[in-house]
Amino acid sequence: MQVRLWSGKKKLSTSFRTTVSSITDETATVNISPTCSFAVGEPESIVVESVTSNVEIFSIEKVERFLKCLNCKKKIIQVSSSSVVHCDRCGHTMKTVRCSIGFCARALVDTDKGSRITLKLFEDVLQKVIGDDRCKLNESEVATRLLLFGNVHVKYDSSSGTVSELTVNE
């Protein structure tokens, strides 16, 4: 288990196989309580606020190219220089040549409201705007293509900054 800083907020990060159980500690000085309270038997709901905006891509913070697990389709964290890789999430081991390549990017954009925010673009969004040849491109070429779009119309989650739709304004 790790505590990480993500977009200025502290997040608790666990691995796929982490088991969390409650303990009673009389000496604990920190009181941790959930921010939402739900009645017993009431389903938990999460509200996601989507924002639609015209933005100009100011800069590309990072483009990441990675191998995806054949079983769970998640990012393989292990270095891919070997001929066999192991997925830490589902436990499967596979040949590197059989794995598909995934992409994600983090971009700093200027919104139509005058603010500058960081947005995350995952593979589904990148495929729609760059196309199937994104797997043949290196990280620098993907960044260049994104920067050359100029003004784009995006729909994104305001709390996580994850883009769900991106269209290029012609």
Side-chain angles (χ1 to χ4, degrees), residues 1 19-25:
M1 216 183 278
T19 303
V20 178
S21 58
S22 64
I23 62 167
T24 304
D25 185 2

Side-chain angles (χ1 to χ4, degrees), residues 55-106:
V55 300
E56 181 180 354
I57 299 175
F58 178 76
S59 67
I60 303 297
E61 184 179 324
K62 182 179 186 180
V63 174
E64 191 174 358
R65 183 180 176 167
F66 54 88
L67 295 176
K68 295 191 324 186
C69 175
L70 293 171
N71 181 53
C72 67
K73 308 295 185 217
K74 299 289 184 182
K75 175 182 168 183
I76 294 178
I77 299 169
Q78 179 182 344
V79 179
S80 60
S81 60
S82 65
S83 59
V84 176
V85 291
H86 179 77
C87 179
D88 293 330
R89 294 186 186 266
C90 69
H92 283 242
T93 301
M94 62 219 78
K95 292 180 182 178
T96 305
V97 295
R98 305 251 354 237
C99 297
S100 60
I101 296 172
F103 268 99
C104 63
R106 201 167 25 229

Side-chain angles (χ1 to χ4, degrees), residues 17-37:
R17 297 174 193 231
T18 300
T19 303
V20 178
S21 58
S22 64
I23 62 167
T24 304
D25 185 2
E26 301 294 326
T27 63
T29 58
V30 179
N31 183 15
I32 301 173
S33 62
T35 56
C36 299
S37 60

